[in-house]
Amino acid sequence: MPVRIITRRHFIAAGTAAAATPFLARGASAQAAWPSRNIRMVCSYPAGGQTDLLARAFGDFISRQVGQTVFIENKAGASGSIGAAEVARAAPDGHTILCSISTTYVMNRIMMKNPGYDMDRDLTLVSIIPGAGLLLVASLASGVKTLDDFVAFARKKGQVNFGTYSAGSAPHMTINELNKQYGLKIEPIHYRGEAPMWTGLLDGTLDVAMGSYTAAQAVLQGDKGVVFAVHSKKVSAIPNVKTLPEQGATSKFFTISGFTGWAVPKATPQPIVDRLSELCVAANNDPKVKEVLSTFVLDPALGFKESNALYQRELPTWIESAQALGLEPA
């Protein structure tokens, strides 16, 4: 369904805004040729989730700026690979854009024998939104309030049930790294998504679970769990909770975070890539976009150079940590 129907009045207003906005003045040759028709933004995860809501908010902003409708098409399944493969095969003209997450851009090369695309060969990252710090939440019965408390609890109990929202996920890698550093026997309990995982903590199946601040609210607001650490960086809504590295965890994996990002087919002309990147960065100041970013406690979108620098910097650590799990690609 379209994000926005562009009327003649909106088109004129968008043109006026473009003329007055410095960032839209750059890359004039690309502006003349792009976009020449409606834009299709493929979201490789289901409607209603974080990735989808970000796609719709940013898509709406882009639509208002360029005078073309941005259609959001949800192509979910296979950890985002279905949508990614479809965009990778699309014409490289800036009219088909992928919105997905780091699982799609990074993890699928490790977790899947044939995801249907090669990230580095087939796609170009345009802009990314660095992920928020993931929460580590312990049940009230555990008495855990810090990482040291958790390590002592795990050693005393022997086997700890630790929930993840999927095999190969950031929580799964966190378990592996904590086991290695502290000599623990934490058992990963894999769920299909965050909602059932948090239910597992609520019903006593789990001792600990790890996931996003927003999805954890049912547990936290009901006083059913305690946040004793965040994965890689502090969460502004709970600034007093320290990160794992601040509490002594030493794995390199605890210095990186996931991301949501936009990509286009590899051969897309650089002026179009730059234009799209500029639009994503400019969207950070849009009220609708700000609301979604605030809801999920996310940082603003980064530009092309910053996005690709972060991706290249964190990629080796992602791959090393994922391979350490010893999972056979599906």
Side-chain angles (χ1 to χ4, degrees), residues 285-304:
N285 295 316
D286 179 74
K288 293 181 180 178
V289 170
K290 281 185 172 181
E291 183 179 356
V292 177
L293 292 175
S294 176
T295 296
F296 295 105
V297 201
L298 295 172
D299 291 336
L302 301 177
F304 173 77

Side-chain angles (χ1 to χ4, degrees), residues 137-144 148-163 179 182-187 189 200-201 203-209:
V137 182
S139 66
L140 289 180
S142 70
V144 169
D148 285 343
D149 290 343
F150 172 69
V151 172
F153 169 78
R155 286 175 174 161
K156 182 178 180 180
K157 186 171 183 181
Q159 180 174 306
V160 174
N161 292 333
F162 194 128
N179 279 342
Y182 296 104
L184 304 176
K185 297 179 180 179
I186 306 170
E187 183 71 22
I189 308 297
L201 187 65
D203 66 20
T205 301
L206 301 175
D207 300 302
V208 180

Side-chain angles (χ1 to χ4, degrees), residues 143-183:
V144 169
K145 295 182 179 179
T146 66
L147 178 58
D148 285 343
D149 290 343
F150 172 69
V151 172
F153 169 78
R155 286 175 174 161
K156 182 178 180 180
K157 186 171 183 181
Q159 180 174 306
V160 174
N161 292 333
F162 194 128
T164 88
Y165 43 77
S166 69
S169 62
H172 191 184
M173 286 184 274
T174 295
I175 291 168
N176 193 49
E177 298 299 332
L178 290 174
N179 279 342
K180 285 193 295 183
Q181 179 175 345
Y182 296 104

Side-chain angles (χ1 to χ4, degrees), residues 14 28 31 49 85 128 162 181 204 226 259 269:
Q31 292 180 45
I128 66 175
F162 194 128
Q181 179 175 345
V226 175
F259 60 86

Side-chain angles (χ1 to χ4, degrees), residues 120-144:
D120 299 324
R121 183 191 65 213
D122 299 332
L123 294 167
T124 295
L125 272 178
V126 172
S127 173
I128 66 175
I129 298 172
L134 296 177
L135 278 56
L136 283 77
V137 182
S139 66
L140 289 180
S142 70
V144 169

Side-chain angles (χ1 to χ4, degrees), residues 25-268:
R26 296 195 291 271
S29 62
Q31 292 180 45
W34 180 90
S36 60
R37 60 182 186 276
N38 292 336
I39 298 168
R40 177 182 175 228
M41 186 180 291
V42 176
C43 175
S44 62
Y45 285 85
Q50 175 177 310
T51 309
D52 174 69
L53 293 175
L54 286 168
R56 293 179 187 279
F58 278 80
D60 178 72
F61 177 82
I62 293 170
S63 175
R64 286 184 275 121
Q65 296 303 309
V66 303
Q68 295 284 356
T69 300
V70 176
F71 291 93
I72 307 300
E73 185 173 344
N74 297 92
K75 288 278 184 175
S79 299
S81 64
I82 293 174
E86 188 161 322
V87 173
R89 294 190 298 266
D93 57 11
H95 292 91
T96 305
I97 306 168
L98 174 66
C99 182
S100 197
I101 63 175
S102 46
T103 298
T104 305
Y105 296 123
V106 177
M107 294 298 295
N108 284 352
R109 72 184 74 197
I110 305 298
M111 304 302 296
M112 305 179 75
K113 290 181 180 178
N114 181 23
Y117 65 99
D118 181 296
M119 174 61 205
D120 299 324
R121 183 191 65 213
D122 299 332
L123 294 167
T124 295
L125 272 178
V126 172
S127 173
I128 66 175
I129 298 172
L134 296 177
L135 278 56
L136 283 77
V137 182
S139 66
L140 289 180
S142 70
V144 169
K145 295 182 179 179
T146 66
L147 178 58
D148 285 343
D149 290 343
F150 172 69
V151 172
F153 169 78
R155 286 175 174 161
K156 182 178 180 180
K157 186 171 183 181
Q159 180 174 306
V160 174
N161 292 333
F162 194 128
T164 88
Y165 43 77
S166 69
S169 62
H172 191 184
M173 286 184 274
T174 295
I175 291 168
N176 193 49
E177 298 299 332
L178 290 174
N179 279 342
K180 285 193 295 183
Q181 179 175 345
Y182 296 104
L184 304 176
K185 297 179 180 179
I186 306 170
E187 183 71 22
I189 308 297
H190 302 304
Y191 290 81
R192 293 185 176 181
E194 281 201 67
M197 179 193 71
W198 292 118
T199 299
L201 187 65
L202 287 170
D203 66 20
T205 301
L206 301 175
D207 300 302
V208 180
M210 177 177 168
S212 66
Y213 173 81
T214 303
Q217 289 308 298
V219 173
L220 301 181
Q221 292 180 4
D223 292 326
K224 300 296 184 180
V226 175
V227 184
F228 65 91
V230 290
H231 170 256
S232 59
K233 61 182 181 182
K234 288 192 173 183
V235 175
S236 59
I238 46 174
N240 294 330
V241 179
K242 294 181 178 180
T243 65
L244 286 169
E246 287 176 328
Q247 298 187 62
T250 58
S251 171
K252 288 188 296 183
F253 180 67
F254 301 143
T255 67
I256 66 174
S257 60
F259 60 86
T260 301
W262 290 267
V264 291
K266 193 68 172 182
T268 301

